[in-house]
Amino acid sequence: MAQLGYRVMDTQIFNLGLSLEANSAYIVVCSLMEDGLRAGLETVAARWNGTPETLAAALKELAAWRVVEPRRDSGEDPFYAPNPASLWRRPGQPG
C-alpha cells in the first residue's frame, strides 16, 4: 500500500461537530491505515460495533466533509483514505 505522506489521525476531527458515528468511523479508518491495512468496507465493518446502516451513514458524512475519500487502486477493491485536515471542507463549500 502506498504511504500517505502525512500523519493519518488528526484530532481536529473533534472540532467539526460531526456525529458520534462519523467520529468513530474516522477513528476506525485511521487505525486500519496506521496498522498498514486497507480500509475497505469489509475491513472497516469488521471493526465496527454498530449496524451496517450507521456505518454507511457515517462514511457518507465523512466523505461529504472530505475527511475521507473513497479511492481505488488499479484492480483493487475500493477503500477509504483519510485526507489531511487542510482538505476538509464543510459540505457545499467550494474548495
Side-chain angles (χ1 to χ4, degrees):
M1 180 179 329
Q3 296 294 335
L4 294 175
Y6 53 89
R7 193 178 98 229
V8 176
M9 172 85 180
D10 193 319
T11 57
Q12 290 184 59
I13 190 71
F14 302 114
N15 297 329
L16 297 180
L18 301 177
S19 67
L20 174 66
E21 293 82 7
N23 283 308
S24 297
Y26 176 74
I27 292 167
V28 171
V29 168
C30 290
S31 70
L32 287 165
M33 298 292 290
E34 289 174 353
D35 289 346
L37 300 171
R38 184 175 297 275
L41 186 56
E42 286 184 24
T43 312
V44 175
R47 291 192 182 181
W48 185 252
N49 288 327
T51 66
E53 295 80 16
T54 60
L55 175 58
L59 292 170
K60 183 177 179 179
E61 183 178 356
L62 291 172
W65 280 80
R66 295 178 49 192
V67 172
V68 299
E69 182 178 337
R71 296 187 185 169
R72 178 185 293 256
D73 292 338
S74 60
E76 299 281 343
D77 289 332
F79 64 98
Y80 292 91
N83 283 321
S86 61
L87 296 179
W88 299 353
R89 298 285 182 273
R90 181 176 303 279
Q93 187 178 34

